[in-house]
């Protein structure tokens, strides 16, 4: 089933960019037209320069599958003549660093807060966590990013407003560069952390409340087990299962980056690269990015399915 899903994803990845109106040559011709008339032979020259696929759709599909096995995604139309694989390899670490780390932190903090809110339900903390998370959840994360950018970036000047590192910094594995990268990641990470935290708190709190009403939890309480044991080992463990599924999907989507956040902060991750590919109809780059994102989601779900067997013994039967 996993391999069949991968094949379907790869095939869709081939078809979808070709359903988009226009072509990369059209996009370049439109830009050239602003500077004056374009000769009739310009299209053929541009297509030859970019290496636009030719032949029938089946021939293109066969060539596409063969190139995937060689990990040859071709040249980018947007960043010509750079190779797509190099562009993806350059952008991927930034997205994993920013979105991946932030998502994991948000998951753990949100889950713990959700457990505590459910265990102390109808109390002050529960009210504060529920109302606060609901309010934050209604705010689009790119609005939050813009607010942070304006307040902590432009107005106060506390943090950088764009980029992953300073203009004078040299990318290298040194403490100075790491600190600079962390400093530039504060605002985008904060916007993702705050917006992501709300969903985990609400989700875990609701799952936990449902688990607390189950018979096995009441039985554990009736046998005099400590409250902490009942909350963590009994109620929270079962309530974690739906949360874990969502976390797996989130981790898979991490590779896709947070498109709007990376655009707001001009962060050089996968999301920012995808935006450039879409606006310039860069088929090779789009296909490579969609493929990486899809495979990441499928792999994350596969790992979560394996973890289910460990957390829920009923799935092993």
């Amino acid at each position: 089933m996993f391999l069949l899903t991968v094949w379907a994803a790869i095939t869709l990845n081939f078809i979808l960019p070709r359903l988009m109106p226009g072509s990369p040559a059209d996009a370049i011709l439109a830009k050239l037209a602003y500077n004056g008339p374009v000769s009739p032979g310009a299209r053929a020259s541009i297509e030859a320069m970019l290496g636009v696929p030719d032949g029938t759709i089946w021939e293109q599909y066969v060539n596409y599958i063969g190139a995937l096995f060689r990990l040859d995604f071709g040249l980018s139309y947007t960043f010509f003549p750079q190779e797509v694989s190099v562009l993806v390899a350059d952008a991927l670490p930034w997205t994993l660093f920013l979105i991946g780390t932030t998502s994991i932190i948000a998951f753990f903090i949100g889950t713990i807060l959700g457990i505590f809110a459910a265990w102390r339900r109808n109390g002050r903390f529960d009210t504060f966590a529920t109302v606060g998370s609901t309010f934050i959840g209604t705010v689009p994360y790119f609005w939050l990013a813009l607010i942070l950018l304006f307040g902590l970036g432009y107005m106060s000047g506390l943090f950088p407003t764009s980029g992953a590192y300073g203009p004078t910094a040299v990318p290298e594995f040194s403490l100075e560069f790491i600190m600079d990268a962390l400093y530039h990641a504060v605002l985008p990470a904060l916007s993702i952390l705050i917006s992501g935290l709300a969903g985990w708190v609400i989700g875990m709190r609701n799952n936990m409340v449902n688990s607390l009403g189950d018979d096995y939890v009441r039985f554990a309480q009736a046998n005099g087990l400590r409250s902490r044991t009942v909350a963590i080992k009994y109620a929270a463990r079962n309530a974690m299962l739906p949360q874990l599924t969502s976390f797996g999907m989130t981790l898979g989507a991490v590779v896709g980056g947070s498109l709007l956040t990376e655009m707001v902060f001009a962060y050089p991750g996968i999301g920012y690269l995808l935006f450039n590919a879409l606006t310039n109809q860069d088929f090779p780059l789009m296909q490579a990015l969609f493929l990486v994102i899809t495979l990441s989601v499928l792999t994350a779900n596969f790992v979560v399915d394996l973890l289910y067997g460990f957390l829920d013994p009923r799935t092993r039967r």
Side-chain angles (χ1 to χ4, degrees):
M1 183 61 71
F2 176 77
L3 294 178
L4 182 62
T5 308
V6 170
W7 171 78
I10 289 174
T11 303
L12 284 175
N13 190 37
F14 170 80
I15 295 173
L16 289 178
R18 286 164 173 78
L19 295 179
M20 294 178 63
S23 69
D26 291 332
I28 294 179
L29 286 172
K31 292 178 181 177
L32 293 176
Y34 284 112
N35 299 323
V38 181
S39 65
R43 169 180 288 277
S45 301
I46 292 172
E47 289 180 346
M49 179 186 72
L50 297 178
V52 175
D54 54 4
T56 65
I57 193 70
W58 293 111
E59 291 172 343
Q60 292 182 30
Y61 182 69
V62 172
N63 293 333
Y64 164 71
I65 295 295
L68 286 185
F69 280 104
R70 301 191 301 272
L71 295 179
D72 179 13
F73 298 104
L75 301 179
S76 168
Y77 300 159
T78 308
F79 304 96
F80 187 83
Q82 294 191 60
E83 294 183 2
V84 168
S85 56
V86 174
L87 291 170
V88 175
D90 288 342
L92 189 59
W94 292 112
T95 292
L96 292 178
F97 163 67
L98 175 66
I99 315 292
T101 305
T102 311
S103 298
I104 292 173
I105 294 174
F107 171 76
F108 280 104
I109 295 177
T111 299
I112 293 171
L113 292 179
I115 292 173
F116 192 73
W119 190 246
R120 303 293 185 187
R121 60 187 181 279
N122 300 326
R124 290 183 180 178
F125 180 79
D126 182 30
T127 303
F128 174 77
T130 304
V131 175
S133 299
T134 303
F135 173 74
I136 292 174
T138 60
V139 180
Y141 68 90
F142 59 91
W143 280 21
L144 190 59
L146 290 172
I147 292 171
L148 292 174
L149 181 66
F150 180 75
L152 300 179
Y154 288 110
M155 293 298 292
S156 64
L158 290 175
F159 298 101
T161 56
S162 64
Y165 50 86
T168 59
V170 179
E172 59 183 6
F173 191 72
S174 64
L175 181 61
E176 183 181 1
F177 179 74
I178 292 173
M179 296 305 295
D180 188 51
L182 288 173
Y183 181 51
H184 279 74
V186 169
L187 288 185
L190 200 57
S191 66
I192 297 170
L193 179 65
I194 294 174
S195 57
L197 198 63
W200 296 122
V201 172
I202 294 294
M204 189 62 197
R205 189 256 180 202
N206 293 339
N207 294 336
M208 184 81 175
V209 168
N210 290 331
S211 294
L212 289 173
D214 289 339
D215 292 338
Y216 69 94
V217 176
R218 296 178 184 274
F219 183 75
Q221 290 174 320
N223 278 277
L225 295 179
R226 292 191 307 169
S227 297
R228 182 181 300 177
T229 303
V230 175
I232 297 176
K233 288 191 174 181
Y234 287 81
R237 182 172 180 177
N238 201 39
M240 276 286 295
L241 296 177
Q243 194 87 335
L244 193 63
T245 302
S246 302
F247 181 58
M249 298 181 68
T250 301
L251 275 186
V254 159
V255 178
S258 187
L259 180 65
L260 293 178
T261 301
E262 290 185 359
M263 286 174 57
V264 168
F265 294 101
Y267 201 81
I270 291 291
Y272 193 68
L273 196 61
L274 181 60
F275 170 74
N276 282 298
L278 290 171
T279 53
N280 292 286
Q281 296 182 322
D282 192 339
F283 290 165
L285 188 53
M286 276 191 284
Q287 286 179 331
L289 293 174
F290 288 151
L291 182 65
V292 171
I293 294 169
T294 304
L295 292 180
S296 301
V297 172
L298 292 176
T299 304
N301 287 336
F302 181 69
V303 173
V304 168
D305 286 342
L306 295 179
L307 287 177
Y308 252 74
F310 172 73
L311 293 174
D312 188 1
R314 294 171 298 181
T315 59
R316 302 175 200 161
R317 298 172 184 170

